[in-house]
Amino acid sequence: MLSIPWLSSCFLETQILVYILLFGLAAIAILTWPRNKHVVLDPRGRAVLITGCDSGFGNQLAHRLLDMGFTVFAACLFPDGEGAQSLITHASPGQVKVIRLDVTSDKEVEQVKQYVLDNLPDKGLWGLVNNAGISGWGMVEWLTIEKYQRVLDVNLLGGIRTTLAFAPLVRKSKGRMVFLSSISAYVSSVNGIYSLTKAALEKFCDSLRLEMKRFGVKVCIIEPGNFAPATNIHPQANPEKVWDSLPAEAKKIYSKELIEDATNFLNKSLVGGSKNSYEVVDAIVDALTSPTPKARYLVANFVEKGLVYLYLWLPTLLFDQIISLPTTKFRNMSQND
């Protein structure tokens, strides 16, 4: 005869499985629920400010929005560069405003704000797209505090600076704020410096989204996977240069062979990324124009999405084992081995 405690245990386990199943079905229903994607927004007389328009997603988005009829404030680090000039020749006179902006400079952010105020079209600033960012890579001890400060200043504080400056204008038009994050906000492997900036940016956006909701402003996060070939955000790394850049203490701990393995692993990963940058641009356009934009747009391939979902659902110990598998073949972890 079966004992009562055993039956109770089975009943509880069955309940848990049922709850998990129902939760999964509900999640699938929400994610696949049809949204109204019909663009009813009239771009004429509306402006969008995009940071990081020199190249990559920012430059391609600016071209797309210009074709749609938006007025674009294209913030570039190099306004005389090839990317900025391509925007000027692409648009009709007055439709694009190419302006210099280093998002780490409070002074330049204020100057750009004044310029935008002086040149706004009739319907004001509809959108702010915080796209500017730089890549960072390496194990924690490989990097100096100056490197951490630089990446944080651009990827996190840069977006916060522009938000503080332009939130009043976007609020007035009840428009959109869009932030470029990454799947690295969830999945981190030998790129903790980049991941921490994106994870922090997402938490900032979560707070901002709730605060702006009462004003009719929608805040959206774009989470691309590996699009390195499409953006060239991180050029191929050289093992010798990586080794030379290491702090002296790190060279005592990590072997040169491991540096070579890790660098080759990075380069292979970069080459294997997607060239279809239009997928990310499509997501940003939807966030700017859809009547019902998503809070998050995960733009990634099947494997990348799978890793994100595993991170969210699996116990940390188990996920750590999975994410560590590609790096287990690195040679000679320590000089002392």
Side-chain angles (χ1 to χ4, degrees), residues 30-76:
I30 292 172
L31 291 172
T32 58
W33 190 267
R35 297 184 309 116
N36 182 6
K37 292 189 176 182
H38 179 63
V39 177
V40 296
L41 182 73
D42 184 0
R44 292 173 296 180
R46 300 181 191 271
V48 176
L49 170 65
I50 310 168
T51 66
C53 285
D54 295 277
S55 61
F57 297 139
N59 188 271
Q60 295 168 46
L61 174 66
H63 278 89
R64 178 82 67 86
L65 295 183
L66 289 170
D67 289 340
M68 294 174 65
F70 282 99
T71 296
V72 174
F73 291 96
C76 299

Side-chain angles (χ1 to χ4, degrees), residues 183-257:
I183 64 166
S184 293
Y186 305 99
V187 182
S188 178
S189 178
V190 202
N191 66 339
I193 186 173
Y194 185 72
S195 295
L196 76 89
T197 63
K198 295 305 182 180
L201 184 67
E202 295 226 358
K203 297 315 296 181
F204 171 75
C205 292
D206 286 343
S207 297
L208 184 67
R209 183 177 62 254
L210 295 174
E211 294 168 11
M212 287 292 150
K213 184 177 181 181
R214 69 187 67 185
F215 301 111
V217 175
K218 293 181 172 62
V219 177
C220 305
I221 304 171
I222 312 297
E223 300 171 331
N226 181 5
F227 283 86
T231 63
N232 199 32
I233 189 173
H234 199 302
Q236 292 283 295
N238 181 284
E240 286 294 331
K241 290 183 178 180
V242 174
W243 173 257
D244 292 341
S245 69
L246 259 60
E249 193 64 31
K251 289 183 178 179
K252 297 177 183 178
I253 303 170
Y254 297 94
S255 69
K256 200 169 184 178
E257 289 78 12

Side-chain angles (χ1 to χ4, degrees), residues 241-285:
K241 290 183 178 180
V242 174
W243 173 257
D244 292 341
S245 69
L246 259 60
E249 193 64 31
K251 289 183 178 179
K252 297 177 183 178
I253 303 170
Y254 297 94
S255 69
K256 200 169 184 178
E257 289 78 12
L258 181 137
I259 302 300
E260 182 180 350
D261 287 347
T263 306
N264 291 336
F265 173 75
L266 168 70
N267 291 336
K268 184 177 180 180
S269 299
L270 292 173
V271 171
S274 174
K275 297 180 181 179
N276 300 327
S277 55
Y278 68 87
E279 295 176 351
V280 177
V281 175
D282 287 347
I284 302 172
V285 170

